[in-house]
Amino acid sequence: MPTTLLMTLDCADRVGLLARITGFVASQKGNFTEVHQYTDPINGWFFARFAFEVPEGTTLESVRRDFGPTAVELNASWNIRDQGRPLRTVLLVSREDHCLADMLWRWRSKEMNIEVPLVISNHDTLRTQVEKEGLPFLHIPVPADPTGKDAAFRRISDAICDVSGELSILCRYMQIMPDWFCEEHLNRVINIHHSLLPAFAGADPYRKAYDRGVKLIGATCHYATAELDAGPIIHQQMIPVEHYHTPADMRRLGRDCERLTLARGVRLHVEDRVVVHGSRAIVFGD
Amino acid sequence: MPTTLLMTLDCADRVGLLARITGFVASQKGNFTEVHQYTDPINGWFFARFAFEVPEGTTLESVRRDFGPTAVELNASWNIRDQGRPLRTVLLVSREDHCLADMLWRWRSKEMNIEVPLVISNHDTLRTQVEKEGLPFLHIPVPADPTGKDAAFRRISDAICDVSGELSILCRYMQIMPDWFCEEHLNRVINIHHSLLPAFAGADPYRKAYDRGVKLIGATCHYATAELDAGPIIHQQMIPVEHYHTPADMRRLGRDCERLTLARGVRLHVEDRVVVHGSRAIVFGD
Amino acid sequence: MPTTLLMTLDCADRVGLLARITGFVASQKGNFTEVHQYTDPINGWFFARFAFEVPEGTTLESVRRDFGPTAVELNASWNIRDQGRPLRTVLLVSREDHCLADMLWRWRSKEMNIEVPLVISNHDTLRTQVEKEGLPFLHIPVPADPTGKDAAFRRISDAICDVSGELSILCRYMQIMPDWFCEEHLNRVINIHHSLLPAFAGADPYRKAYDRGVKLIGATCHYATAELDAGPIIHQQMIPVEHYHTPADMRRLGRDCERLTLARGVRLHVEDRVVVHGSRAIVFGD
Amino acid sequence: MPTTLLMTLDCADRVGLLARITGFVASQKGNFTEVHQYTDPINGWFFARFAFEVPEGTTLESVRRDFGPTAVELNASWNIRDQGRPLRTVLLVSREDHCLADMLWRWRSKEMNIEVPLVISNHDTLRTQVEKEGLPFLHIPVPADPTGKDAAFRRISDAICDVSGELSILCRYMQIMPDWFCEEHLNRVINIHHSLLPAFAGADPYRKAYDRGVKLIGATCHYATAELDAGPIIHQQMIPVEHYHTPADMRRLGRDCERLTLARGVRLHVEDRVVVHGSRAIVFGD
């Protein structure tokens, strides 16, 4: 089975950019299997994602090293990684298990190319369910006072670091994270919010949706940022509701929407299909 | 062809309500073809819509008169009308014609059971297009100053009254209406807003949607109220967008969404399927 | 907490039917919380579903007994049951666990009002997963030869009977069932087929969908009947696909669609919202 | 305003292909604005679409000439055209006007980059509506007998040729076309069928959908081929239906679905986003 590498890259647009990069890949005897390119016409920025197979003997490291000088010259943000290697992913959860159970099923059935070295929770409720899967469960209570909260998130950050976590998923983790935490893990923490952001940011969105009488509700998968529910949006899905749906009905209906929206957003990230640029996420969709 | 009557009714809930009303219809030899009933569990309110055929000789007037005492006793809001009679509907439009053209097509092809006695615009742009259809077009410019604006809307209100308009549709009519106008025509003016309200109320929602990087855009059909874009929502639809869609692309994609959302909302109103209760619309959907 | 009863009923249409039934419910001091009525205009058939609360002391049995004479007179098919009592539901599965895992999660989290007295499989693969949930797992291999197959389904039928199963769900159970089995359990076996029936009935629908180059795939939840994949359809959902989705991709994408479509179809049945009439299912949707 | 060229290309896959083509574009000082590439993993076929701006002075003709030798060497099917030039598009219609009216609106409002030199119909019904738009209307009756029918389609083919038609759209044109006609205009005739093909091919699909009791109906935009309703599918959309929707209701609901599905499919073709390969359409979607 050949090695497939994924390269993402963004930089200021200019003539010849694509020829330059595809020429480099050709020089490595790489064969493209999927290419996405997009130039933002409003600010003249070039974005691309390349999937290519490399011949036996060519390694991720050698390709990275050889591409370095070109990237420097282009002044580009870039990344190359091996599609086959699972991403080390830490799950954070509170008391509701629908997103967690779904994510664990996708991990267990190998639908999602992730390893789960750790599950962290601010409650002990879901310990048995997690340990049944053979996964370590870490209970880190989060006090309400700023100092205690800060210390808790210091422990969380260290725990993620200790297991070499590359991505953290907030599976309905009901805590607002300190700014420093969001910045330390920028674009590496994915959250699911149970509304069609920017509508109904903050607490209890289904109640707000009911009061406003909307006919569509939904969920938003986004990167966590210091500003609450304002990070770059990766994916959104919606479901229709009717007047007879109470907030409790919406919570029930919303669970299916939340877990699918989260799973799809995470998958896009895991497959290196997301490039963040300012407040917007470029998503080279599958 | 038998006469079908549509009755809508809402009142405080109590035991025996449905038996009482269906008993009344049976006493009129009415045969139900479609019944919707809903009790709001949060505030104990009863809502219903009944479609029933009455035998030859039974008239709308006699049914209304006979039902009067019961309605008074139940302290109910109610309405009965003849399904076959078209609703007299005034269209208001500015310069963009996509909602207008769509609505005219539905009127012309008899898909929508409306008569259009008048089209009003704050611009003269679409006169030819409207007059080609054999419809009167009234150009009422709307000045920016409050006094001038008020006078313009006085003229609009009078014009609607003169043609016995029962419903007005804002087919992308780009004017904020005075409070008194909204109150005078309460629940009889339907607007289409080009966002998934409450997100992006006010001007230029597609630009705001682009800046926020949302992955779903949409349209909202609602009754116009004094508070801008805050009236009871009748219907909403959405379309997915990608990072490469500029605000101009969204405008283009949005046009299809807007006209279908408006048409569906208007249809629900025309078929007496909407009962407004506070800020929420009960929609007995087809 | 008051008792809520669900009554479904269908019979030939006539004047006064609804008044008669709602009058009966009123005589029992029942208070309606949700009513659906539909008359098929093509064959003049009356369908209805009533949810109503009865006062303390009124029992399911007494209501049933009191309604009996009316039902006989109307020559109606009817059913009344207690909304609160969970439906005894047997799950059948082969080797793929996505529908099973989803259904178990809904049962465990009490989202779905069912009891699961038994899981049956033609393979032993999922035994551990089921027993971890504390549920009995019965492995009944199904031989290919007609006699062996028949005997296996005799055992299955008996096992369902032994646990007083009221509903059986085929959670991707990959066996064609004998005609006598389908007839014995008519409208009490729900299947999920991984295509938008009637397209791609039978084996390997995703491969067929790929070969035909369709742009939408989906899943169909229906009652199992002797004719393969031809039973009354309860619910369907779809997902868009693109040219780059291989049959394997469709299988992956389809799993989410299958389990949601199945769950929704089962929920509609469990809430007594489905009335089968010939080859069509009347679904009083929530 | 710079000239943007659209190049589509498909050929057997090999290493270096993309570098070769992008290198060619760079040599022409072309700047990519949008690139799509896809390799079919099942049969090893390479497909691509490139949009690139060329500097003043570079012409479509010179780029085509310069690319010729490369294309020959690659043994590729290819096409390059000027994005700005409208496609000459002939509309065919019978008696129902919903798709025609929609297409004319898109043409008139310049939403779709087409010229309409001619509208052809087998009935005279829509003449006034077409001529009101200032377009020539050609009534070519189609007799039922094979010889007469053949002669009629000979006239149609000649008429398309006479106006240099590059694309023909069947806007609910209710005639089965002779094989020779389909072959002569291969991949240049787009049809809309009112079902989710392959379900309900042929006549009266809404009636069939009603009889089967499906819960989703839809429309399919595809290239016309000699085999009825079996050509490569460009786009499909669906709408949910309920038990109470009669075939007549489906016809009404379906009209909106048909015209949007057709418009989207035509747009994809007009923007050169479709590459047909065997029975499948590769669609580089916007």
Side-chain angles (χ1 to χ4, degrees), chain B residues 219-234:
Chain B
T220 302
C221 179
H222 64 99
Y223 290 106
T225 53
E227 191 185 341
L228 183 67
D229 294 335
I233 294 173
I234 306 171

Side-chain angles (χ1 to χ4, degrees), chain A residues 102 106 252 256 259 267, chain C residues 102 106 252 256 259:
Chain A
D102 187 74
R106 289 177 204 273
R252 168 175 60 78
D256 283 340
R259 56 195 185 137
R267 185 179 182 89
Chain C
D102 186 73
R106 290 178 204 271
R252 168 175 60 78
D256 283 339
R259 55 193 186 139

Side-chain angles (χ1 to χ4, degrees), chain B residues 97-98 101-102 105-106 108-109 111 129 132-133 244-245 249 252-253 255-256 259-260 263-264 267 271 285-286, chain D residues 97-98 101-102 105-106 108-109 111 129 132-133 244-245 249 252-253 255-256 259-260 263-264 267 271 285-286:
Chain B
D97 80 333
H98 57 288
D102 187 73
W105 177 81
R106 290 177 204 271
R108 195 184 345 125
S109 64
E111 189 193 282
Q129 191 170 333
K132 246 195 232 174
E133 301 280 351
Y244 49 72
H245 289 117
D249 291 328
R252 168 175 60 77
L253 292 165
R255 281 194 292 261
D256 283 339
R259 55 194 184 139
L260 261 65
R264 173 125 177 90
R267 186 179 181 88
E271 295 184 347
D286 146 52
Chain D
D97 79 333
H98 56 288
D102 187 73
W105 178 81
R106 289 177 205 271
R108 196 185 343 126
S109 64
E111 188 192 283
Q129 191 170 333
K132 245 195 234 173
E133 302 280 351
Y244 48 73
H245 289 117
D249 291 326
R252 168 176 59 78
L253 292 165
R255 281 194 292 262
D256 283 340
R259 54 192 186 142
L260 262 65
R264 172 123 177 94
R267 186 179 180 89
E271 295 185 346
D286 145 51

Side-chain angles (χ1 to χ4, degrees), chain B residues 244, chain C residues 242-243, chain D residues 34 36 264 268 271 273 282-286:
Chain B
Y244 49 72
Chain C
E242 310 267 356
H243 59 267
Chain D
E34 190 185 355
H36 291 270
R264 172 123 177 94
L268 289 166
E271 295 185 346
R273 295 180 180 278
I282 311 305
V283 179
F284 292 119
D286 145 51

Side-chain angles (χ1 to χ4, degrees), chain A residues 5-11 21 25 32 34-37 45-52 60 63-64 67 71 74-82 223 268-276 282-285:
Chain A
L5 300 184
L6 302 178
M7 178 199 275
T8 51
L9 179 146
D10 71 273
C11 60
I21 301 163
V25 172
F32 289 106
E34 191 185 355
V35 173
H36 290 271
Q37 188 274 325
W45 208 257
F46 176 98
F47 300 88
R49 177 186 185 270
F50 306 92
F52 54 96
L60 175 59
V63 174
R64 270 188 180 152
F67 187 64
L74 298 175
N75 199 17
S77 297
W78 63 289
N79 187 30
I80 308 180
R81 63 182 204 87
D82 183 339
Y223 289 107
L268 289 166
H269 178 95
V270 165
E271 295 185 346
D272 263 346
R273 294 180 181 278
V274 190
V275 181
V276 174
I282 311 304
V283 180
F284 291 120

